[in-house]
Amino acid sequence: MAPGWAFGVVVLALFALKSCNDDTGDTNFTITSSTSGGGSIAPSTSLDVGQGARQRFTLTPFDGYQLDKVDSTCGGKLTGDIYITAPIYSDCSVIARFGLTVPKAPHLSMTPQQTKTFAFNWDDLSNENQYLLYENSDGNSGFTQIATISNNVTTYELEKFLPTSANAEYILSACNDKGCTDSSTYTVNQSELKDAIGYIKASNTDASDEFGYFAELSKDGETLAIGAINESSNATGINGNQTNNATQSSGAVYIFRYVNHAWQQEAYIKASNTDTDDIFGHSLSLSEDGSTLVVGAPGEDSAATGVNGTQNDESSTNSGAAYVFTRDNNTWSQQAYLKASNTHSNDEFGWSLALSADGNRLAVSAYKESSNTTGIDGNQADTSFSGSGAVYIFNRDSGNTWSQDTYIKASNTGASDQFGYSIALSNNGNTLAVGARYEDSDATGINGDESNNAATGSGAVYVFNHDGNSWSQEAYLKASNTESNDSFGASVELSANGNTLAIGAPLESSGSSVINNGQMDNSAPSSGASYVFVRSGTTWSQQAYLKASNTDANNVFGWYQSMSSNGDVLAIAAVGEKSATIGINGNENDTSAADSGAVYLFERDGITWVQQSYIKPPNTEASDLFGFVASLSANGDVLAIGSRREDSASSGINSDQQNNSASSSGAVYLY
């Protein structure tokens, strides 16, 4: 407990009561004390037994105090913190003045807690008035104070972004008016990071459901939507019966909320027209605050067109659909059912989705759409270029009514280019990036020759801008080392302002493990790469060429990407990575767990990119495809990673990770 004052005074009146019989040898006396601030004093006595019953006593201050001065009529001596009287016969008095000492050093310990929490503990001291917690976040940056903690408190929970917490160090300082004393430095180890990773399973886990095929965090980091494309319930709408597996691969979406420092499932969502093989949940997009959710179902079969058409006409196989849901307080409801304006079988509308921050603008791709038109709002009816791909822009007005605004094609539409395989929107919805992973031009860099198809499947990305009235193409981007079959554009990610763009090429083949180096080394087929582009005004340039720190053939680095709002933090997935290590920054050179998957965290300082972390799950196993999807919060402090083929049969949050009796049930991890 802590004192309220810096010093105190104790007055001791001592009464020596001599026995009537001089040879008794026992002498009783009483100490009466009154305290004034500052705590207490603990006197003890020792008696010299004998004729005359001489007596002596000592004054020892309470832990955390010292005797500053003793005025005594009893005689004696103040030695250090202890006052010892001379032998006395008669009544006498002592006035003892005492003050605080600097606190002892606290003993700091830490217990990792799922999810993403370090729980610090220490024993309470007797003379502190506050504790100060200091952090050296990476073991190199130096200590800074992160918390002021009241006296009488012995625990503190710190929520952490785990990928940047490897080698983090902590010191707890106990303080009072005399000063502070530091604990020993506590260094977080890899095992503790592993134990703090959150682990999320479906509420109705079943083999082959592939929960975690897609996962999307709201930018505020407090809503998490997870798709399970092969979930087979025949329920419709919100929170229906999860246990009936009558519609194979109909798909489902699970909503989790972060409430009072804990994650909990909020809703179980199905399509309004649930049907077999619709793979509802294949793609997801959330508004910034998580109150608007769009779900793609590219296997949906209705022949309807536009908004809220007839859902139960199944004459257009795999035409695809998108569903808009909204949350009011904690209650979800379906707001719209969206189809392409030119619905055709096998177009797979809903393959990729991107919402603006406010949820009022939506881009939906149909990467197998077959029109041969180019540019904005061309002829949608032509179907001569199979798999060329298209993107559709929808807007929501103030009355919550959705309408299609624009139909977008590449400037060099080609059959099988798969324009729309990936898409991304800036926060304001005015910048759109579209990946066409099988585009064939052998151009390199910015706005090169689009018409030369000499590099089959090299891939391209198109940037479009909305000026407040209409859309136009702003840039045509190619890799700096364009080669056939690299799949440049298989993943795209934009910063909030649209000025930083990351593009994945998961089949790129350089054997380099060095940023901005070795692009022409093709010694590691399908190792993968990511390219960062930046915009100044309307001019784009390549800023970085990123490779994994453990580049290896078939790792497909760049498969999926997610970026913080400011564009300075980038998570890049490599689902084919092979290490069997666990947690953060483990042994990345182990290759004993094929297709276990990994995610790499990069950070930008100015214009320089560096790899910060190498991320694995706490239960790594071969073929789990960890990193099939990844999603960062706006501030880059929450990262969700999907592992669609994880095998545990457990359900809910932070359940048993080691039970592998539900093959490919899937899981999502929080860092």
Side-chain angles (χ1 to χ4, degrees):
M1 63 182 64
W5 309 91
F7 67 91
V9 176
V10 175
V11 179
L12 301 171
L14 296 160
F15 304 94
L17 304 179
K18 187 176 180 181
S19 168
C20 293
N21 187 347
D22 283 348
D23 62 359
T24 302
D26 290 331
T27 301
N28 301 316
F29 66 92
T30 303
I31 298 176
T32 304
S33 66
S34 62
T35 62
S36 175
S40 63
I41 203 161
S44 62
T45 65
S46 63
L47 300 179
D48 289 337
V49 179
Q51 183 66 31
R54 300 169 68 204
Q55 62 184 20
R56 164 193 322 267
F57 66 89
T58 63
L59 297 179
T60 304
F62 190 78
D63 184 32
Y65 297 85
Q66 62 187 10
L67 285 170
D68 290 332
K69 183 179 181 182
V70 178
D71 294 330
S72 173
T73 63
C74 302
K77 184 179 182 182
L78 177 61
T79 303
D81 287 337
I82 300 174
Y83 175 77
I84 304 175
T85 69
I88 59 173
Y89 291 90
S90 59
D91 298 349
C92 60
S93 64
V94 174
I95 298 175
R97 294 179 175 84
F98 58 96
L100 287 170
T101 59
V102 176
K104 292 182 178 180
H107 175 70
L108 182 64
S109 62
M110 191 274 281
T111 303
Q113 294 184 348
Q114 296 175 316
T115 306
K116 292 167 46 64
T117 300
F118 293 167
F120 293 101
N121 302 276
W122 58 93
D123 293 331
D124 193 23
L125 300 177
S126 60
N127 64 328
E128 88 297 353
N129 56 26
Q130 66 178 0
Y131 296 100
L132 306 178
L133 184 64
Y134 294 87
E135 178 184 57
N136 182 3
S137 60
D138 58 5
N140 295 310
S141 302
F143 284 93
T144 57
Q145 184 183 333
I146 60 171
T148 300
I149 305 165
S150 299
N151 65 309
N152 298 329
V153 174
T154 59
T155 62
Y156 184 80
E157 292 191 353
L158 178 66
E159 296 175 20
K160 287 297 298 176
F161 183 50
L162 302 179
T164 57
S165 297
N167 304 315
E169 295 178 333
Y170 296 90
I171 290 174
L172 183 71
S173 188
C175 300
N176 62 21
D177 293 342
K178 288 287 186 178
C180 297
T181 305
D182 293 343
S183 70
S184 297
T185 299
Y186 189 94
T187 301
V188 177
N189 61 49
Q190 185 189 16
S191 174
E192 290 170 326
L193 287 178
K194 170 188 71 69
D195 292 339
I197 297 169
Y199 175 70
I200 298 179
K201 297 283 288 186
S203 47
N204 61 336
T205 296
D206 204 359
S208 302
D209 277 2
E210 299 200 25
F211 175 87
Y213 183 95
F214 207 95
E216 176 85 346
L217 275 168
S218 58
K219 287 302 181 182
D220 63 12
E222 296 186 355
T223 301
L224 174 62
I226 301 174
I229 59 169
N230 290 329
E231 193 268 0
S232 298
S233 162
N234 68 352
T236 58
I238 315 299
N239 295 332
N241 179 10
Q242 303 180 25
T243 62
N244 184 332
N245 288 335
T247 52
Q248 186 66 37
S249 298
S250 53
V253 173
Y254 304 75
I255 304 294
F256 296 84
R257 288 285 298 281
Y258 188 60
V259 180
N260 295 326
H261 302 285
W263 286 93
Q264 59 191 36
Q265 186 172 326
E266 181 176 75
Y268 164 75
I269 297 178
K270 298 282 289 187
S272 47
N273 61 336
T274 296
D275 199 12
T276 300
D277 296 325
D278 279 1
I279 55 174
F280 177 86
H282 176 277
S283 56
L284 304 167
S285 190
L286 281 165
S287 60
E288 186 169 41
D289 65 358
S291 64
T292 298
L293 167 70
V294 185
V295 181
E300 194 264 2
D301 301 324
S302 166
T305 59
V307 179
N308 294 331
T310 302
Q311 300 183 28
N312 296 318
D313 175 352
E314 296 184 3
S315 61
S316 188
T317 303
N318 296 332
S319 54
Y323 304 74
V324 182
F325 298 87
T326 58
R327 177 176 59 201
D328 184 7
N329 292 322
N330 298 321
T331 302
W332 287 88
S333 60
Q334 185 173 318
Q335 185 177 78
Y337 166 73
L338 307 179
K339 296 283 290 186
S341 48
N342 61 337
T343 297
H344 285 103
S345 294
N346 300 314
D347 280 1
E348 299 197 29
F349 175 88
W351 178 266
S352 291
L353 306 167
L355 266 176
S356 60
D358 61 9
N360 291 331
R361 177 165 287 166
L362 169 66
V364 184
S365 78
Y367 83 115
K368 291 185 178 178
E369 191 265 1
S370 300
S371 166
N372 71 349
T373 192
T374 60
I376 311 300
D377 290 330
N379 177 17
Q380 302 180 30
D382 180 280
T383 58
S384 60
F385 277 15
S386 176
S388 56
V391 173
Y392 305 76
I393 303 296
F394 294 82
N395 290 328
R396 177 173 60 183
D397 64 21
S398 58
N400 294 324
T401 298
W402 287 89
S403 60
Q404 184 177 319
D405 175 75
T406 310
Y407 166 75
I408 298 178
K409 297 282 289 187
S411 49
N412 62 338
T413 297
S416 302
D417 279 2
Q418 297 189 359
F419 176 86
Y421 187 84
S422 61
I423 57 177
L425 269 177
S426 60
N427 269 17
N428 63 11
N430 290 334
T431 299
L432 169 69
V434 182
R437 66 170 181 165
Y438 288 157
E439 191 265 359
D440 300 324
S441 165
D442 68 352
T444 60
I446 317 300
N447 296 330
D449 180 7
E450 303 178 4
S451 61
N452 182 334
N453 288 336
T456 304
S458 55
V461 170
Y462 305 76
V463 180
F464 298 86
N465 187 62
H466 190 267
D467 63 6
N469 296 304
S470 61
W471 287 92
S472 60
Q473 185 172 317
E474 181 175 84
Y476 165 74
L477 307 180
K478 296 284 290 188
S480 48
N481 60 337
T482 296
E483 289 196 355
S484 295
N485 302 316
D486 279 0
S487 284
F488 177 87
S491 61
V492 293
E493 181 73 349
L494 277 167
S495 60
N497 62 12
N499 291 333
T500 300
L501 169 62
I503 301 173
L507 302 185
E508 191 264 1
S509 297
S510 166
S512 175
S513 294
V514 180
I515 294 172
N516 294 329
N517 192 34
Q519 300 184 32
M520 308 313 296
D521 170 2
N522 286 333
S523 61
S526 299
S527 55
S530 177
Y531 304 75
V532 179
F533 292 81
V534 293
R535 177 174 61 182
S536 176
T538 59
T539 301
W540 287 89
S541 61
Q542 185 174 320
Q543 184 178 75
Y545 165 76
L546 306 179
K547 295 286 288 187
S549 50
N550 62 337
T551 294
D552 198 8
N554 301 313
N555 278 4
V556 291
F557 174 86
W559 172 265
Y560 201 88
Q561 302 177 105
S562 187
M563 184 180 287
S564 63
S565 286
N566 63 10
D568 290 339
V569 181
L570 177 63
I572 304 176
V575 292
E577 196 268 353
K578 308 170 185 65
S579 170
T581 194
I582 58 176
I584 312 296
N585 293 342
N587 177 15
E588 55 184 36
N589 296 315
D590 177 286
T591 57
S592 61
D595 298 327
S596 53
V599 173
Y600 304 76
L601 192 76
F602 292 81
E603 291 191 7
R604 177 173 60 183
D605 182 6
I607 61 173
T608 302
W609 287 88
V610 295
Q611 183 178 317
Q612 290 288 352
S613 306
Y614 164 72
I615 305 168
K616 298 283 287 189
N619 60 338
T620 298
E621 289 194 353
S623 302
D624 278 1
L625 299 183
F626 175 81
F628 193 83
V629 68
S631 183
L632 270 170
S633 62
N635 62 7
D637 280 352
V638 184
L639 174 62
I641 301 176
S643 183
R644 59 182 279 206
R645 291 186 177 165
E646 192 267 357
D647 300 325
S648 167
S650 65
S651 60
I653 298 172
N654 296 332
S655 52
D656 179 14
Q657 303 175 18
Q658 305 306 321
N659 180 344
N660 285 339
S661 60
S663 178
S664 296
S665 52
V668 170
Y669 303 82
L670 283 168
Y671 294 81

